[in-house]
Amino acid sequence: MRKLSLNKLLLSCFISGISFLNLTAQEGQVNISENDKITKLLELKSEMSKDNEIGDRYKIQLFYGNNGEANEVIKDYRSKFEYPSLIAYEAPNYKVWVGNFRNRLEADRALLKIKESFPSAFIPKPRRK
């Protein structure tokens, strides 16, 4: 019994001693210097991302032909789907392109939905820029 109370006494003295110590954490200062070129590159990347000029992107082609029919196809498409669409001119024909998919899997998933309304739709090979 006496040994147990001696252990309690030592433990309470140890805890009391720790609480009275003046504990301080290390303090430091960090200076970060960034090259101006990094800032310019980040701005350029964000600008290119807005214009969809980065990397290989997949599009779905719905139509290839004259301007009047291309306008009808894109109007019909926009009434049914939400993916971005555009008409691209490649002399002497117009193409209706849909989407700006990051990978082939995303494009394939969208193509399955789109083919229900536009059975001739397909995914052309992306161009490298």
Side-chain angles (χ1 to χ4, degrees):
M1 187 74 154
R2 183 175 170 106
K3 186 175 183 181
L4 182 61
S5 55
L6 182 61
N7 285 343
K8 286 183 182 179
L9 179 64
L10 288 174
L11 182 62
S12 64
C13 288
F14 179 73
I15 292 173
S16 299
I18 289 177
S19 65
F20 290 117
L21 289 176
N22 185 9
L23 299 176
T24 58
Q26 295 178 357
E27 293 183 23
Q29 196 171 26
V30 177
N31 294 324
I32 299 174
S33 60
E34 185 177 279
N35 191 334
D36 292 337
K37 290 180 181 179
I38 293 175
T39 307
K40 290 177 184 176
L41 285 173
L42 288 173
E43 289 172 4
L44 179 63
K45 182 183 183 289
S46 67
E47 189 175 312
M48 290 177 74
S49 294
K50 289 177 191 173
D51 297 336
N52 299 321
E53 294 180 7
I54 292 181
D56 293 342
R57 295 291 179 137
Y58 292 87
K59 296 187 181 299
I60 297 171
Q61 184 170 314
L62 300 182
F63 176 78
Y64 182 81
N66 68 42
N67 189 26
E69 288 181 68
N71 283 317
E72 289 177 23
V73 169
I74 203 165
K75 188 187 301 184
D76 182 30
Y77 167 80
R78 288 178 177 165
S79 69
K80 296 177 182 177
F81 297 99
E82 295 292 322
Y83 301 110
S85 58
L86 61 95
I87 296 176
Y89 178 69
E90 242 180 57
N93 294 305
Y94 293 83
K95 296 179 178 181
V96 176
W97 284 342
V98 171
N100 190 27
F101 305 101
R102 285 185 242 176
N103 56 51
R104 180 67 189 227
L105 181 61
E106 286 180 12
D108 284 336
R109 286 179 179 159
L111 182 63
L112 288 174
K113 295 175 190 173
I114 291 170
K115 271 197 171 255
E116 293 172 4
S117 299
F118 300 91
S120 63
F122 68 97
I123 301 172
K125 186 175 180 179
R127 294 183 191 163
R128 294 198 181 262
K129 297 200 178 202

